[in-house]
Amino acid sequence: MGLQGVFWFSVFVIGYIYLGYPLLLAVWARIAGQATSKADIRSSRTWPSVSIIIAARNEAARLSARITNLLQLNYSGPREIIVVSDGSTDDTAEVLARFGRDVRVVEVPAGGKPLALNAGVQVASGDVLVFADARQQFSDNALVELVANFADPRVGAVTGELVIDSEHQATDSTIGHGVGLYWTYEKWLRRNESAVWSTLGATGAIYALRRCLWRPLPPDTLLDDVLAPMRVVLSGHRIVFEERAHAYDRASADAPTEARRKIRTLAGNYQILAQEPRLLIPLSNPVWIQYMSHKVGRLLVPWALVSTLVTSVALAPASWFFTIVLSAQTAFYLLAAVGAVLDVRARRATGDFSRALPAMLEE
């Protein structure tokens, strides 16, 4: 394959991931979409027992409001709230003690979120596990909307929708706007992947999973909200997207935090391939096309961008077409750099470096 072949292949990869795959998915969902047999949330049926699990480290300032929110949710079935204190050194224990028997507290040495979640699941008694964070708030019907999907025996996990409170984010932030656009696009993909068969992970801020399908997480897991649900898919069950179950959070305009999140997500997706290589085998992975297009494809895009730039540089001297292509790429990267510099200056001018990007945007 010559340089032109490499260039066009790289362009194809980029175009397919961000244009071709969404188009394929939209048509696929429209033609062969599968509805979920949800329970009627107004019925008097017996609802399954639920264990709500929060892994927290030094979250005392948030936990009181969080637990109050969970206790006020509409749900007629039995439920328990489990908070795993991951080596907390603040007054987490004292804050939780105020709730008495309404909250089960599990104290573990600091070992990271995966081990904390494992500890929470180990003591859970519910048929359905619901995972949440200390930071967000659930909508009143979030719990019942999640659990209603388990009336369908094909459903093994359900992910809710993270709603970003854009009214409180800086309107002059390129990072803030970027997060909002990305999350809108990502939710569109999840909605259509769910309709086809299954999403490719969950929103860590709000998702539920059948207790019988849980497998302990490796201690070094970076993306627990992708690994645990994808194991459900590999078992032959669906992960469905429930857009009526909301978790509310605020977006960040903090560019360094966003960069760290992207690096962690990228590393986590590589890690999952090592943890579950069956995901790369079509006969083992029921959503192989979606996984290769959505997850693996995004791992290839940075390399395709580099390849497109390098081949354009090599081909530009002999072709006006590639000279134009190279000029367009150069202008794009320069504009991106200028935007990043302006955003940093704006953050410095206002002193607003404090807001953290919701960890639940991780995929």
Short mmCIF file of all heavy atoms in Angstrom, two decimals, residues 53-57 82-87 106-124 131 207 214-225 227-228 231 264 275:
data_model
loop_
_atom_site.label_atom_id
_atom_site.label_comp_id
_atom_site.label_asym_id
_atom_site.label_seq_id
_atom_site.Cartn_x
_atom_site.Cartn_y
_atom_site.Cartn_z
N ILE A 53 -25.44 0.74 46.04
CA ILE A 53 -24.06 0.69 46.51
C ILE A 53 -23.32 1.95 46.10
O ILE A 53 -23.31 2.34 44.92
CB ILE A 53 -23.34 -0.55 45.96
CG1 ILE A 53 -24.07 -1.82 46.41
CG2 ILE A 53 -21.88 -0.58 46.41
CD1 ILE A 53 -23.54 -3.09 45.78
N ILE A 54 -22.68 2.59 47.09
CA ILE A 54 -21.86 3.78 46.84
C ILE A 54 -20.47 3.52 47.39
O ILE A 54 -20.32 3.14 48.56
CB ILE A 54 -22.45 5.03 47.53
CG1 ILE A 54 -23.82 5.37 46.96
CG2 ILE A 54 -21.50 6.22 47.39
CD1 ILE A 54 -24.49 6.52 47.66
N ALA A 55 -19.47 3.67 46.56
CA ALA A 55 -18.08 3.63 47.01
C ALA A 55 -17.62 5.06 47.22
O ALA A 55 -17.71 5.88 46.30
CB ALA A 55 -17.20 2.92 45.98
N ALA A 56 -17.15 5.38 48.42
CA ALA A 56 -16.82 6.78 48.72
C ALA A 56 -15.52 6.87 49.51
O ALA A 56 -15.26 6.05 50.39
CB ALA A 56 -17.95 7.40 49.53
N ARG A 57 -14.73 7.86 49.16
CA ARG A 57 -13.53 8.17 49.93
C ARG A 57 -13.53 9.66 50.25
O ARG A 57 -13.51 10.49 49.35
CB ARG A 57 -12.25 7.81 49.17
CG ARG A 57 -10.98 8.17 49.94
CD ARG A 57 -9.72 7.91 49.13
NE ARG A 57 -9.53 6.48 48.90
CZ ARG A 57 -8.54 5.98 48.15
NH1 ARG A 57 -7.67 6.80 47.56
NH2 ARG A 57 -8.43 4.67 47.98
N ILE A 82 -25.98 0.78 50.84
CA ILE A 82 -24.67 0.36 51.33
C ILE A 82 -23.65 1.39 50.92
O ILE A 82 -23.50 1.69 49.73
CB ILE A 82 -24.28 -1.02 50.76
CG1 ILE A 82 -25.30 -2.08 51.17
CG2 ILE A 82 -22.88 -1.42 51.22
CD1 ILE A 82 -25.13 -3.41 50.45
N VAL A 83 -22.94 1.95 51.87
CA VAL A 83 -21.86 2.88 51.58
C VAL A 83 -20.55 2.24 52.01
O VAL A 83 -20.37 1.87 53.17
CB VAL A 83 -22.04 4.22 52.31
CG1 VAL A 83 -20.85 5.15 52.02
CG2 VAL A 83 -23.34 4.90 51.89
N VAL A 84 -19.66 2.08 51.05
CA VAL A 84 -18.34 1.50 51.33
C VAL A 84 -17.36 2.65 51.48
O VAL A 84 -17.10 3.39 50.52
CB VAL A 84 -17.89 0.55 50.21
CG1 VAL A 84 -16.56 -0.09 50.58
CG2 VAL A 84 -18.95 -0.52 49.95
N SER A 85 -16.84 2.82 52.68
CA SER A 85 -15.86 3.87 52.94
C SER A 85 -14.48 3.34 52.59
O SER A 85 -13.93 2.48 53.28
CB SER A 85 -15.92 4.29 54.41
OG SER A 85 -14.94 5.27 54.69
N ASP A 86 -13.93 3.85 51.49
CA ASP A 86 -12.66 3.36 50.96
C ASP A 86 -11.50 4.08 51.63
O ASP A 86 -10.87 4.97 51.05
CB ASP A 86 -12.65 3.58 49.44
CG ASP A 86 -11.38 3.09 48.77
OD1 ASP A 86 -10.79 2.12 49.27
OD2 ASP A 86 -10.97 3.70 47.77
N GLY A 87 -11.23 3.70 52.89
CA GLY A 87 -10.12 4.32 53.61
C GLY A 87 -10.31 5.78 53.90
O GLY A 87 -9.34 6.54 53.96
N VAL A 106 -19.76 -0.02 55.31
CA VAL A 106 -18.68 -1.01 55.22
C VAL A 106 -17.36 -0.25 55.17
O VAL A 106 -17.14 0.57 54.27
CB VAL A 106 -18.83 -1.89 53.95
CG1 VAL A 106 -17.70 -2.89 53.87
CG2 VAL A 106 -20.19 -2.59 53.95
N GLU A 107 -16.52 -0.49 56.14
CA GLU A 107 -15.20 0.16 56.21
C GLU A 107 -14.15 -0.77 55.61
O GLU A 107 -14.02 -1.92 56.04
CB GLU A 107 -14.84 0.49 57.66
CG GLU A 107 -15.79 1.45 58.35
CD GLU A 107 -15.40 2.90 58.10
OE1 GLU A 107 -14.39 3.13 57.41
OE2 GLU A 107 -16.11 3.79 58.62
N VAL A 108 -13.41 -0.28 54.61
CA VAL A 108 -12.33 -1.07 54.02
C VAL A 108 -11.09 -0.19 53.92
O VAL A 108 -11.19 1.03 53.83
CB VAL A 108 -12.70 -1.60 52.61
CG1 VAL A 108 -13.87 -2.56 52.70
CG2 VAL A 108 -13.02 -0.46 51.66
N PRO A 109 -9.89 -0.81 53.93
CA PRO A 109 -8.67 -0.02 53.74
C PRO A 109 -8.66 0.61 52.34
O PRO A 109 -9.28 0.07 51.42
CB PRO A 109 -7.54 -1.06 53.88
CG PRO A 109 -8.16 -2.22 54.56
CD PRO A 109 -9.60 -2.24 54.17
N ALA A 110 -8.02 1.74 52.19
CA ALA A 110 -7.95 2.40 50.88
C ALA A 110 -7.35 1.46 49.85
O ALA A 110 -6.20 1.05 49.96
CB ALA A 110 -7.12 3.68 50.99
N GLY A 111 -8.15 1.12 48.85
CA GLY A 111 -7.68 0.19 47.82
C GLY A 111 -8.20 0.52 46.45
O GLY A 111 -7.92 -0.18 45.49
N GLY A 112 -8.99 1.58 46.35
CA GLY A 112 -9.54 1.98 45.06
C GLY A 112 -11.00 1.56 44.90
O GLY A 112 -11.50 0.69 45.62
N LYS A 113 -11.65 2.18 43.95
CA LYS A 113 -13.08 1.95 43.74
C LYS A 113 -13.43 0.51 43.41
O LYS A 113 -14.43 -0.01 43.94
CB LYS A 113 -13.59 2.89 42.64
CG LYS A 113 -15.10 2.84 42.46
CD LYS A 113 -15.56 3.81 41.39
CE LYS A 113 -17.09 3.75 41.23
NZ LYS A 113 -17.57 4.67 40.17
N PRO A 114 -12.68 -0.19 42.53
CA PRO A 114 -13.07 -1.58 42.22
C PRO A 114 -13.16 -2.47 43.45
O PRO A 114 -14.13 -3.22 43.60
CB PRO A 114 -11.95 -2.04 41.27
CG PRO A 114 -11.45 -0.79 40.65
CD PRO A 114 -11.52 0.25 41.73
N LEU A 115 -12.17 -2.39 44.35
CA LEU A 115 -12.21 -3.22 45.55
C LEU A 115 -13.34 -2.79 46.47
O LEU A 115 -13.97 -3.62 47.14
CB LEU A 115 -10.87 -3.16 46.27
CG LEU A 115 -9.69 -3.84 45.57
CD1 LEU A 115 -8.43 -3.73 46.41
CD2 LEU A 115 -10.01 -5.30 45.28
N ALA A 116 -13.62 -1.49 46.52
CA ALA A 116 -14.72 -1.00 47.34
C ALA A 116 -16.05 -1.53 46.81
O ALA A 116 -16.93 -1.94 47.59
CB ALA A 116 -14.72 0.52 47.37
N LEU A 117 -16.23 -1.53 45.49
CA LEU A 117 -17.46 -2.06 44.92
C LEU A 117 -17.59 -3.56 45.20
O LEU A 117 -18.68 -4.05 45.52
CB LEU A 117 -17.50 -1.80 43.42
CG LEU A 117 -17.63 -0.34 42.99
CD1 LEU A 117 -17.61 -0.22 41.47
CD2 LEU A 117 -18.90 0.29 43.54
N ASN A 118 -16.48 -4.27 45.08
CA ASN A 118 -16.51 -5.70 45.39
C ASN A 118 -16.97 -5.94 46.83
O ASN A 118 -17.77 -6.84 47.10
CB ASN A 118 -15.12 -6.32 45.20
CG ASN A 118 -14.71 -6.43 43.74
OD1 ASN A 118 -15.56 -6.38 42.84
ND2 ASN A 118 -13.43 -6.56 43.49
N ALA A 119 -16.47 -5.12 47.74
CA ALA A 119 -16.84 -5.26 49.15
C ALA A 119 -18.32 -4.96 49.35
O ALA A 119 -19.00 -5.63 50.14
CB ALA A 119 -15.99 -4.33 50.01
N GLY A 120 -18.82 -3.96 48.64
CA GLY A 120 -20.24 -3.63 48.76
C GLY A 120 -21.14 -4.73 48.23
O GLY A 120 -22.15 -5.08 48.86
N VAL A 121 -20.78 -5.29 47.09
CA VAL A 121 -21.58 -6.37 46.51
C VAL A 121 -21.55 -7.61 47.40
O VAL A 121 -22.55 -8.32 47.54
CB VAL A 121 -21.08 -6.71 45.09
CG1 VAL A 121 -21.81 -7.93 44.55
CG2 VAL A 121 -21.28 -5.52 44.15
N GLN A 122 -20.42 -7.86 48.03
CA GLN A 122 -20.28 -9.05 48.86
C GLN A 122 -21.28 -9.07 50.02
O GLN A 122 -21.78 -10.14 50.40
CB GLN A 122 -18.85 -9.13 49.42
CG GLN A 122 -18.55 -10.43 50.15
CD GLN A 122 -17.10 -10.54 50.53
OE1 GLN A 122 -16.32 -9.60 50.38
NE2 GLN A 122 -16.70 -11.71 51.02
N VAL A 123 -21.62 -7.90 50.56
CA VAL A 123 -22.57 -7.86 51.68
C VAL A 123 -23.99 -7.55 51.22
O VAL A 123 -24.91 -7.55 52.04
CB VAL A 123 -22.12 -6.82 52.73
CG1 VAL A 123 -20.72 -7.13 53.23
CG2 VAL A 123 -22.18 -5.40 52.17
N ALA A 124 -24.17 -7.27 49.93
CA ALA A 124 -25.49 -6.90 49.42
C ALA A 124 -26.44 -8.10 49.44
O ALA A 124 -26.04 -9.23 49.15
CB ALA A 124 -25.38 -6.34 48.01
N PHE A 131 -25.76 0.97 41.26
CA PHE A 131 -24.50 1.66 41.56
C PHE A 131 -24.68 3.16 41.40
O PHE A 131 -25.26 3.64 40.42
CB PHE A 131 -23.39 1.14 40.66
CG PHE A 131 -23.10 -0.32 40.86
CD1 PHE A 131 -23.66 -1.28 40.03
CD2 PHE A 131 -22.30 -0.75 41.92
CE1 PHE A 131 -23.41 -2.63 40.22
CE2 PHE A 131 -22.05 -2.09 42.12
CZ PHE A 131 -22.61 -3.04 41.28
N TYR A 207 -26.51 3.09 37.29
CA TYR A 207 -26.82 1.87 36.54
C TYR A 207 -27.14 0.74 37.49
O TYR A 207 -26.77 0.75 38.67
CB TYR A 207 -25.70 1.50 35.56
CG TYR A 207 -24.46 0.85 36.12
CD1 TYR A 207 -24.28 -0.52 36.04
CD2 TYR A 207 -23.43 1.61 36.67
CE1 TYR A 207 -23.12 -1.13 36.51
CE2 TYR A 207 -22.27 1.02 37.14
CZ TYR A 207 -22.12 -0.35 37.06
OH TYR A 207 -20.97 -0.94 37.53
N TRP A 214 -23.15 -10.50 38.46
CA TRP A 214 -21.96 -9.76 38.90
C TRP A 214 -20.76 -10.69 39.04
O TRP A 214 -20.86 -11.79 39.56
CB TRP A 214 -22.23 -9.08 40.23
CG TRP A 214 -21.00 -8.47 40.86
CD1 TRP A 214 -20.16 -9.07 41.77
CD2 TRP A 214 -20.44 -7.17 40.60
NE1 TRP A 214 -19.14 -8.21 42.11
CE2 TRP A 214 -19.29 -7.05 41.40
CE3 TRP A 214 -20.83 -6.11 39.79
CZ2 TRP A 214 -18.51 -5.90 41.41
CZ3 TRP A 214 -20.05 -4.98 39.79
CH2 TRP A 214 -18.91 -4.87 40.59
N ARG A 215 -19.62 -10.22 38.58
CA ARG A 215 -18.34 -10.89 38.81
C ARG A 215 -17.39 -9.89 39.44
O ARG A 215 -17.34 -8.73 39.00
CB ARG A 215 -17.76 -11.41 37.49
CG ARG A 215 -18.50 -12.62 36.91
CD ARG A 215 -17.96 -12.98 35.55
NE ARG A 215 -16.52 -13.14 35.57
CZ ARG A 215 -15.74 -13.14 34.49
NH1 ARG A 215 -16.29 -12.96 33.29
NH2 ARG A 215 -14.45 -13.31 34.58
N PRO A 216 -16.63 -10.30 40.47
CA PRO A 216 -15.72 -9.36 41.14
C PRO A 216 -14.78 -8.69 40.14
O PRO A 216 -14.29 -9.30 39.19
CB PRO A 216 -14.96 -10.26 42.11
CG PRO A 216 -15.89 -11.38 42.39
CD PRO A 216 -16.61 -11.64 41.09
N LEU A 217 -14.53 -7.40 40.39
CA LEU A 217 -13.66 -6.62 39.52
C LEU A 217 -12.20 -6.80 39.91
O LEU A 217 -11.87 -6.85 41.10
CB LEU A 217 -14.02 -5.14 39.63
CG LEU A 217 -15.44 -4.74 39.19
CD1 LEU A 217 -15.75 -3.33 39.68
CD2 LEU A 217 -15.58 -4.83 37.69
N PRO A 218 -11.30 -6.86 38.94
CA PRO A 218 -9.87 -6.84 39.26
C PRO A 218 -9.53 -5.54 39.97
O PRO A 218 -10.11 -4.48 39.66
CB PRO A 218 -9.19 -6.91 37.88
CG PRO A 218 -10.22 -7.51 36.97
CD PRO A 218 -11.54 -7.03 37.48
N PRO A 219 -8.61 -5.56 40.92
CA PRO A 219 -8.32 -4.35 41.72
C PRO A 219 -7.80 -3.17 40.93
O PRO A 219 -7.95 -2.02 41.37
CB PRO A 219 -7.29 -4.84 42.74
CG PRO A 219 -6.72 -6.09 42.17
CD PRO A 219 -7.81 -6.72 41.36
N ASP A 220 -7.20 -3.41 39.76
CA ASP A 220 -6.63 -2.30 39.00
C ASP A 220 -7.57 -1.79 37.90
O ASP A 220 -7.17 -1.01 37.04
CB ASP A 220 -5.30 -2.73 38.36
CG ASP A 220 -5.47 -3.91 37.40
OD1 ASP A 220 -6.52 -4.60 37.46
OD2 ASP A 220 -4.54 -4.16 36.59
N THR A 221 -8.83 -2.21 37.93
CA THR A 221 -9.79 -1.82 36.89
C THR A 221 -9.95 -0.30 36.84
O THR A 221 -10.20 0.34 37.85
CB THR A 221 -11.16 -2.47 37.16
OG1 THR A 221 -11.03 -3.90 37.12
CG2 THR A 221 -12.17 -2.05 36.10
N LEU A 222 -9.84 0.26 35.65
CA LEU A 222 -9.99 1.71 35.45
C LEU A 222 -11.43 2.10 35.13
O LEU A 222 -11.90 3.15 35.56
CB LEU A 222 -9.06 2.18 34.34
CG LEU A 222 -7.56 2.06 34.60
CD1 LEU A 222 -6.76 2.42 33.35
CD2 LEU A 222 -7.14 2.95 35.76
N LEU A 223 -12.12 1.28 34.35
CA LEU A 223 -13.48 1.59 33.92
C LEU A 223 -14.42 0.50 34.40
O LEU A 223 -14.85 -0.37 33.63
CB LEU A 223 -13.54 1.72 32.40
CG LEU A 223 -12.66 2.80 31.76
CD1 LEU A 223 -12.84 2.81 30.25
CD2 LEU A 223 -12.93 4.17 32.35
N ASP A 224 -14.77 0.54 35.67
CA ASP A 224 -15.67 -0.48 36.23
C ASP A 224 -17.04 -0.43 35.57
O ASP A 224 -17.72 -1.45 35.43
CB ASP A 224 -15.81 -0.28 37.74
CG ASP A 224 -16.30 1.11 38.10
OD1 ASP A 224 -15.44 2.01 38.25
OD2 ASP A 224 -17.51 1.31 38.21
N ASP A 225 -17.47 0.77 35.14
CA ASP A 225 -18.79 0.90 34.55
C ASP A 225 -18.83 0.46 33.08
O ASP A 225 -19.89 0.53 32.44
CB ASP A 225 -19.32 2.32 34.68
CG ASP A 225 -18.34 3.37 34.17
OD1 ASP A 225 -17.21 3.01 33.81
OD2 ASP A 225 -18.71 4.56 34.12
N LEU A 227 -16.47 -2.48 32.23
CA LEU A 227 -16.12 -3.89 32.39
C LEU A 227 -17.28 -4.71 32.94
O LEU A 227 -17.63 -5.76 32.38
CB LEU A 227 -14.89 -4.03 33.30
CG LEU A 227 -14.44 -5.48 33.57
CD1 LEU A 227 -14.06 -6.17 32.27
CD2 LEU A 227 -13.27 -5.49 34.55
N ALA A 228 -17.89 -4.27 34.04
CA ALA A 228 -18.97 -5.05 34.65
C ALA A 228 -20.15 -5.22 33.68
O ALA A 228 -20.64 -6.35 33.51
CB ALA A 228 -19.42 -4.39 35.95
N ARG A 231 -19.34 -7.64 30.73
CA ARG A 231 -19.38 -9.05 31.16
C ARG A 231 -20.81 -9.57 31.12
O ARG A 231 -21.04 -10.76 30.84
CB ARG A 231 -18.79 -9.19 32.55
CG ARG A 231 -17.26 -9.09 32.58
CD ARG A 231 -16.74 -9.11 34.00
NE ARG A 231 -15.31 -9.36 34.04
CZ ARG A 231 -14.57 -9.35 35.16
NH1 ARG A 231 -15.15 -9.08 36.32
NH2 ARG A 231 -13.28 -9.60 35.12
N ARG A 264 -7.54 8.62 31.09
CA ARG A 264 -7.99 7.48 31.88
C ARG A 264 -8.94 6.60 31.07
O ARG A 264 -8.86 5.37 31.12
CB ARG A 264 -8.67 7.98 33.15
CG ARG A 264 -9.13 6.88 34.10
CD ARG A 264 -9.64 7.48 35.39
NE ARG A 264 -10.12 6.46 36.30
CZ ARG A 264 -11.36 6.00 36.30
NH1 ARG A 264 -12.23 6.47 35.44
NH2 ARG A 264 -11.72 5.07 37.17
N GLN A 275 -8.35 -7.57 29.77
CA GLN A 275 -9.14 -8.26 30.79
C GLN A 275 -10.16 -9.21 30.19
O GLN A 275 -10.44 -10.28 30.74
CB GLN A 275 -9.85 -7.22 31.68
CG GLN A 275 -8.91 -6.41 32.55
CD GLN A 275 -9.61 -5.25 33.23
OE1 GLN A 275 -10.55 -4.66 32.67
NE2 GLN A 275 -9.17 -4.92 34.43
#
